[in-house]
């Protein structure tokens, strides 16, 4: 029987904790710090996600057998390196591996070295040269902070004025501090987006079922980018043949190049793809599962998640035959008023007791105040429904969402709509 600690406090980590809680081989499950939902499944360790030393000390004190790291920030700060130095096996890449997300320029160089298809790009470390460059570009263009910015350091700019303003925000006003010291300016791609997750043990890799994420705050993809407002799986536009092609032309060369750089990648590699008319193009890599994609991918997993994690730590993924349910899953994020700019928190949430039994509720920004559940962040809940087809799953989802209430609750009404329109 194993003692497991899940690091993180979002919906993704709640979904991971939920799936682990179904394993028969876990004696103790902790969440660090967790949230109002995951704390109902596991004991909480109150910890700051950037305080690497305290996380390691907490894991050591509890004598845990395995740490699962959900978010990118502690991975980029070297949490896995620190845990493994103390003999604690961990799920997630080390600091070097996490660069694939923590530096978009590192990721682009890696792609170029293996001719992995991605948008044309250039990098800049001073705003004047960047602004000179945009005057020569065809609009729209995409501007990205090199470093971590919680999904908010990217803007698709439609004209020079917008582009100048975003460069100013990143490089002069330092909206994301050092993350914007260097920026990328890249070609704007058109197509449908998909999120691909690859479970890696340093030698072998297995792709999970793919998913789609909705990045913008508003229906019809209007408004600013967020961490993600909804998701569904499977994407209706990705065939098995296309997935094998993606594995051959993107997944394998990426892992091969990481290996050549002395980075045997362990954990989950997230590949954000744009399916363009000319084929798949990589938009980004992340060093972790996606949120809210994890909330629709894990309910389709017909396998013990602990066994998968243990196979990662022993580099024996190739021995597993992982099965996935043929169900369709769909999730919608309920967000706080003011999200993504200035979320208002501390608002009571009602109606969760009125949901159908088979609806899954994954918490992100929530906390328990005695018996009352309060909002406690930008994204508050992901509500997930599953059925044998997307139409039924979607109808059931929105019928249940109507029963949940908090003051100023915002959510997208169009999640999964395009999938059923194409059925
Ligand atoms: P990233 O963090 O790099 O994935 O960017 C966040 C979001 O911005 C993506 O999910 C896309 O919706 C959009 N995006 C990023 N790069 C491009 C691009 N080259 N062309 C069009 N849209 C993009
Ligand atoms: N949903 C996008 C992400 O997790 O980065």
């Amino acid at each position: 029987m194993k003692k497991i600690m899940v690091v993180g406090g979002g919906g993704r980590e709640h979904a991971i904790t939920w799936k682990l809680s179904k394993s028969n081989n876990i004696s103790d499950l902790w969440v660090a710090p967790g949230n109002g939902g995951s704390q109902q499944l596991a004991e909480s360790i109150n910890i700051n996600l950037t305080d690497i030393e305290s996380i390691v000390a907490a894991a050591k004190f509890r004598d845990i057998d395995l740490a699962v790291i959900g978010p990118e920030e502690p991975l980029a700060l070297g949490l896995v390196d620190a845990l493994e130095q103390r003999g604690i096996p961990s799920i997630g890449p080390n600091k070097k591996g996490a660069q694939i997300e923590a530096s978009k320029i590192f990721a682009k160089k890696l792609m170029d070295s293996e001719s992995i298809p991605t948008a044309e790009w250039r990098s800049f470390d001073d705003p004047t040269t960047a602004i000179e460059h945009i005057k020569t570009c065809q609009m729209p263009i995409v501007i990205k902070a090199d470093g971590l910015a919680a999904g908010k350091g990217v803007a698709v700019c439609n004209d020079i004025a917008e582009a100048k303003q975003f460069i100013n925000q990143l490089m002069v006003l330092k909206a994301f501090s050092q993350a914007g010291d260097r920026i990328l300016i890249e070609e704007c791609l058109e197509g449908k987006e998909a999120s691909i997750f690859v479970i890696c043990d340093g030698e072998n890799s297995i792709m999970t079922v793919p998913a789609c994420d909705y990045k913008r705050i508003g229906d019809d993809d209007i408004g600013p980018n967020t961490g993600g407002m909804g998701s569904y799986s499977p994407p209706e536009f990705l065939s098995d043949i296309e997935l094998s092609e993606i594995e051959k032309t993107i997944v394998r060369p990426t892992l091969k190049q990481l290996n050549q750089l002395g980075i045997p990648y362990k954990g989950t590699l997230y590949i954000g793809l744009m399916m363009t008319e000319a084929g798949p193009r990589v938009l980004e890599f992340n060093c972790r599962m996606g949120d809210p994609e994890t909330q629709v991918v894990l309910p389709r997993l017909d396998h013990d998640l602990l066994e998968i994690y243990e196979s990662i730590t022993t580099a024996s993924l190739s021995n597993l035959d992982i099965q996935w349910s043929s169900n369709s899953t769909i999730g919608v994020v309920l967000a706080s008023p003011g999200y993504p700019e200035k979320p208002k928190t501390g608002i009571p949430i009602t109606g969760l007791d009125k949901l159908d039994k088979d609806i899954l509720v994954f918490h992100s920004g929530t906390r328990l105040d005695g018996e009352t559940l309060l909002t406690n962040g930008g994204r508050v809940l992901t509500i997930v429904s599953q059925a044998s087809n997307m139409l039924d799953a979607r109808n059931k989802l929105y019928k249940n969402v109507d029963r949940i209430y908090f003051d100023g609750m915002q959510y997208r009404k169009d999640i999964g709509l395009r999938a059923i329109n194409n059925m």
Side-chain angles (χ1 to χ4, degrees):
M1 297 295 268
K2 294 292 161 68
K3 298 180 191 167
I4 313 290
M5 176 167 93
V6 178
V7 176
R12 166 186 47 215
E13 291 79 27
H14 186 188
I16 291 171
T17 308
W18 164 79
K19 191 71 192 172
L20 283 173
S21 73
K22 297 183 176 305
S23 172
N24 293 325
N25 297 315
I26 295 179
S27 59
D28 298 271
L29 191 54
W30 283 281
V31 283
N35 56 38
S38 52
Q39 288 169 13
Q40 295 172 30
L41 298 170
E43 200 179 319
S44 166
I45 305 170
N46 190 7
I47 228 149
N48 181 334
L49 287 175
T50 57
D51 186 352
I52 302 301
E53 272 318 301
S54 297
I55 301 174
V56 175
K60 204 71 204 158
F61 178 72
R62 288 165 182 82
D63 197 19
I64 67 151
D65 296 297
L66 181 73
V68 182
I69 323 302
E72 62 278 15
E73 222 182 351
L75 291 166
L77 289 171
L79 178 56
V80 166
D81 312 62
L83 285 164
E84 290 187 345
Q85 261 166 27
R86 302 291 300 274
I88 302 168
S90 309
I91 302 301
N94 60 17
K95 188 174 180 172
K96 278 188 177 164
Q99 283 180 94
I100 199 145
E101 174 167 4
S103 168
K104 288 185 188 290
I105 295 174
F106 172 86
K108 282 287 195 183
K109 285 184 176 162
L110 183 146
M111 285 187 261
D112 284 356
S113 70
E114 283 290 315
S115 306
I116 293 166
T118 185
E120 294 289 328
W121 65 285
R122 279 188 59 183
S123 65
F124 297 89
D125 56 14
D126 84 278
T128 317
T129 330
I131 289 169
E132 278 310 308
H133 173 71
I134 53 170
K135 291 181 187 156
T136 67
C137 293
Q138 210 187 328
M139 297 292 151
I141 49 164
V142 183
I143 302 183
K144 301 183 174 182
D146 174 50
L148 295 180
K152 295 166 200 135
V154 174
V156 178
C157 300
N158 291 306
D159 54 44
I160 293 186
E162 264 182 42
K164 266 189 183 169
Q165 199 189 4
F166 195 58
I167 292 173
N168 199 41
Q169 263 181 34
L170 294 179
M171 302 191 91
V172 182
L173 303 175
K174 303 266 171 218
F176 302 104
S177 62
Q178 289 126 304
D181 284 354
R182 294 194 297 166
I183 63 164
L184 280 94
I185 299 183
E186 65 179 52
E187 165 199 16
C188 187
L189 299 171
E190 273 181 37
K192 291 185 175 137
E193 280 190 59
S195 304
I196 306 288
F197 302 113
V198 191
I199 305 171
C200 310
D201 69 8
E203 290 169 26
N204 316 286
S205 65
I206 299 177
M207 283 160 79
T208 74
V209 288
C212 281
D213 175 27
Y214 287 75
K215 290 256 166 45
R216 304 287 188 115
I217 185 79
D219 283 9
D220 299 323
D221 291 331
I222 304 292
N225 269 337
T226 67
M229 291 299 290
S231 50
Y232 65 89
S233 176
E236 73 289 1
F237 52 88
L238 265 186
S239 66
D240 285 350
I241 294 174
E242 279 166 314
L243 283 169
S244 325
E245 197 57 26
I246 289 165
E247 184 162 34
K248 201 165 91 195
T249 57
I250 296 174
V251 175
R252 287 203 209 122
T254 303
L255 294 174
K256 179 180 138 216
Q257 183 57 16
L258 280 166
N259 259 313
Q260 275 170 3
L261 293 171
I263 308 171
Y265 192 93
K266 229 165 32 77
T268 311
L269 177 67
Y270 167 139
I271 307 177
L273 285 182
M274 185 73 92
M275 300 302 295
T276 72
E277 274 183 3
R281 300 282 179 274
V282 177
L283 291 175
E284 65 168 339
F285 290 116
N286 292 320
C287 60
R288 47 160 179 96
M289 297 279 287
D291 186 340
E293 295 97 318
T294 305
Q295 293 91 307
V296 294
V297 166
L298 288 185
R300 295 190 58 201
L301 174 63
D302 282 338
H303 203 102
D304 179 9
L305 184 58
L306 178 64
E307 192 188 1
I308 298 177
Y309 285 157
E310 289 187 318
S311 304
I312 294 177
T313 63
T314 53
S316 53
L317 266 182
S318 54
N319 297 339
L320 295 188
D321 179 20
I322 299 177
Q323 299 296 320
W324 298 91
S325 135
S326 59
N327 272 352
S328 296
T329 48
I330 174 165
V332 63
V333 171
L334 310 184
S336 294
Y339 179 72
E341 285 93 6
K342 231 178 168 199
K344 194 173 154 218
T345 59
I347 305 167
I349 303 165
T350 58
L352 294 182
D353 53 342
K354 299 193 171 59
L355 304 185
D356 293 348
K357 289 265 172 308
D358 58 347
I359 292 292
L360 297 167
V361 177
F362 296 116
H363 295 229
S364 307
T366 69
R367 72 183 166 88
L368 279 166
D369 181 18
E371 297 281 286
T372 313
L373 189 68
L374 299 176
T375 64
N376 192 36
R379 293 188 289 174
V380 178
L381 297 164
T382 312
I383 312 300
V384 174
S385 151
Q386 47 188 323
S388 60
N389 64 73
M390 196 56 82
L391 179 63
D392 291 349
R394 184 174 193 276
N395 286 342
K396 196 161 58 169
L397 173 71
Y398 279 105
K399 196 177 83 189
N400 278 274
V401 165
D402 280 346
R403 300 175 190 158
I404 306 171
Y405 179 80
F406 54 86
D407 238 6
M409 172 170 117
Q410 34 169 355
Y411 64 93
R412 283 182 65 155
K413 320 279 185 303
D414 63 344
I415 307 300
L417 195 58
R418 60 178 187 226
I420 61 169
N421 284 342
N422 286 331
M423 265 169 81

